[in-house]
Each structure stands twice: as C-alpha cells, then as structure tokens.
Amino acid sequence: VTRHLNAFANTNARNTLFTLSEAMGVAQHHDAVSGTEKQEVAFDYAQRLSEGIQAAEGIINQAYAKLLPKDSQSPPTQLQFLCQLSNISQCLGIEGQERFTVTLWNPLIHQVTQHIRVPVRTDYTVRDPTGATLFTELVPISQAVQNIPGRTSLTQKQIIFKATLPALGFNTYYFEKKPDEEKNEKSAVKITHNEECTLKNQHLRVDFDDQGNLHQIVNLDRNTGVQFKSQGFYWYQGFAGNNSRPEFQASGAYIFRPLASDPQPVSTTRSM
C-alpha cells in the first residue's frame, strides 16, 4: 500500500520505505510465519516491523498531502495516523473526539465493498465523500476483546458501516458526534448458556445445539438446508518426553505427538 501511495503521489520516498521492505523480507522466514522462533527473536521481528511501519507512516502522510486536497485547496493541516491496534478494537487517537475522518485505501485492482468497524465511545453520524449520511449500527465490543492483554482503551462500542472503495484508490468518511437526544438505544444482546439457539433473518436461519455447535444452516428463500454433524472444538495433550532418545522425543514445533489418540473437548460449557 505504501509503495502504491509513493508511486501515485510521486513522493520519491523509496529509500525511506526500505526499512519496512527489509523487515517484511525478514518476517517471511518460516519460523516467523509459524511462530516457532524463540521469544527474543519474536521481539526482534516485532521491533523491526514497528520501525518500518513508523517510517512508512511518514510516506503515507506525504502522499496524502498531495492526493487528499481537491483542486486549488491547500493540503490538510492534520496528519493522518494509522490505527495499528484496530484488530483489538483500539484507536486511542479518535477516542472522545467530537469529529474525525477515516480514510480507507483499497490496494486491489477492482472495486471492493466491505463493512468497516471503528471503535468509539459514543454514537456518530457518518457521511461518505459526497456528504450523504450512511446507515450505521452501534454494537458492543465483546468482553473477550475488552480483556485482551495490552488493550488500554476504555472503549466498549464500535460503529459499523458499509464502505465501497474504488480500485487502487481511497475514500474519506466523516464522523460527527451525535447530540445526546439523537443517540441510538443500546443494542439488545441476549446471552444463552448451554441451550439451543437460533439466529435468523428473512433469508437465512442458523441453528446451534445446546453445546454451542453449529447444527444446520437453512436457506429460507429456497427451503433448503445443510446439516453439520459431530462438529466441535478439540485439543490433544502433547507427549512430554525428555528428548534423551528418539522414542522419547517431546511433542512440539517439529513433531505432532499426542499423548493419547482421543482428543479432549475444549469446553463443555458455551455461551453465545
């Protein structure tokens, strides 16, 4: 993506990008991909990638300074920043803001439509590049995500909207905090514990059994369904071993050697 922006904006910042290119090359190592490196090496990979991304962020801002302004307009005064922890629903830079923008880049050679999630503390009106108000939904962030180690955000909600992005291009979306009287009511969430559950809309019905396993999916339009039998989540206890002789080799990164042939269920209690 940064290479695209550097080329399209003609920023001539290829040398600055080398830090990230080198880190990405190192991160293609088979132990980096699989996570089987030692922890100190994993820390080194993370540091190299972080330094590369930080350098790339400067290129992104240089490019957007050229690409974002319309004809005869001056470049934006506010710098863009990457929400690198959006995968754990955290973006500290926009928390509590009255208004902000989100610019989305599409690196593919065809138009894409995706549902975008933005972590927020309250509800916002979202407008597309033409100024049209988009349909949005404010939903809670799951407790499991809120409890992820290292997550410092106090945000408990996320706003979801549908974005259509042009091929090899970008769109900017405008967020403005809603007045208190316009805020949506809190989304109703029902939690089931070890009981059958059905999720349904006008087209599909999805049934889960009392253990939380997917039972069947029914196409209501065509009155056809697909059943799933004996589906579950299981794990094998690894053979400890001491690696003193080949027959005592421990289960690990280089050999899958379960202690017994029968897998164990991950859990016998489920909540949905």
Side-chain angles (χ1 to χ4, degrees):
V1 168
T2 310
R3 282 174 172 168
H4 289 168
L5 288 167
N6 177 52
F8 292 146
N10 196 24
T11 55
N12 296 317
R14 186 179 180 86
N15 289 339
T16 307
L17 185 58
F18 181 74
T19 307
L20 180 57
S21 298
E22 185 179 45
M24 289 289 290
V26 173
Q28 301 308 308
H29 188 272
H30 65 90
D31 282 324
V33 173
S34 61
T36 48
E37 72 276 24
K38 292 184 181 295
Q39 186 58 55
E40 291 79 3
V41 180
F43 288 147
D44 183 63
Y45 288 153
Q47 181 174 341
R48 289 171 181 267
L49 288 168
S50 178
E51 291 170 353
I53 292 171
Q54 191 172 7
E57 198 166 2
I59 301 175
I60 292 172
N61 274 307
Q62 291 180 51
Y64 276 145
K66 291 185 176 181
L67 298 175
L68 283 175
K70 294 184 179 297
D71 295 338
S72 75
Q73 288 186 345
S74 57
T77 55
Q78 292 289 336
L79 294 178
Q80 302 282 320
F81 60 90
L82 295 173
C83 283
Q84 294 190 45
L85 297 179
S86 59
N87 62 332
I88 58 172
S89 298
Q90 175 169 303
C91 189
L92 299 178
I94 62 175
E95 285 193 11
Q97 298 293 325
E98 291 288 324
R99 58 182 62 88
F100 59 88
T101 62
V102 173
T103 301
L104 304 173
W105 176 269
N106 173 21
L108 303 179
I109 59 173
H110 57 80
Q111 177 179 288
V112 297
T113 299
Q114 294 183 343
H115 284 87
I116 308 300
R117 296 170 179 264
V118 180
V120 292
R121 290 189 177 181
T122 186
D123 205 1
Y124 286 81
T125 298
V126 182
R127 294 183 173 86
D128 68 11
T130 68
T133 300
L134 299 179
F135 174 77
T136 63
E137 187 166 2
L138 189 67
V139 299
I141 296 172
S142 71
Q143 198 61 47
V145 172
Q146 293 185 45
N147 294 339
I148 290 177
R151 187 177 188 271
T152 59
S153 174
L154 299 178
T155 298
Q156 299 178 344
K157 306 170 185 174
Q158 56 186 341
I159 197 166
I160 302 177
F161 66 97
K162 187 163 72 172
T164 299
L165 306 176
L168 289 174
F170 65 90
N171 276 338
T172 298
Y173 296 86
Y174 302 85
F175 288 67
E176 186 171 4
K177 185 177 178 181
K178 285 185 178 181
D180 289 338
E181 62 271 13
E182 290 187 18
K183 291 178 183 176
N184 294 334
E185 295 182 4
K186 185 178 179 180
S187 299
V189 176
K190 178 185 177 183
I191 300 178
T192 66
H193 299 280
N194 286 358
E195 55 184 282
E196 294 180 357
C197 177
T198 298
L199 306 178
K200 184 173 69 171
N201 62 16
Q202 65 268 37
H203 303 294
L204 293 173
R205 189 182 81 235
V206 183
D207 297 328
F208 297 86
D209 65 20
D210 57 3
Q211 292 297 306
N213 298 313
L214 180 60
H215 177 60
Q216 68 173 343
I217 300 176
V218 179
N219 185 322
L220 300 177
D221 295 329
R222 299 183 178 182
N223 196 28
T224 60
V226 178
Q227 290 193 344
F228 298 83
K229 296 182 179 179
S230 303
Q231 185 192 49
F233 295 96
Y234 299 88
W235 67 284
Y236 290 92
Q237 183 175 350
F239 180 77
N242 56 19
N243 295 322
S244 60
R245 293 167 58 181
E247 59 265 34
F248 297 140
Q249 184 177 4
S251 183
Y254 295 100
I255 182 173
F256 173 67
R257 191 177 187 185
L259 186 62
S261 298
D262 297 327
Q264 305 297 315
V266 170
S267 174
T268 56
T269 60
R270 307 281 171 83
S271 60
M272 295 181 57

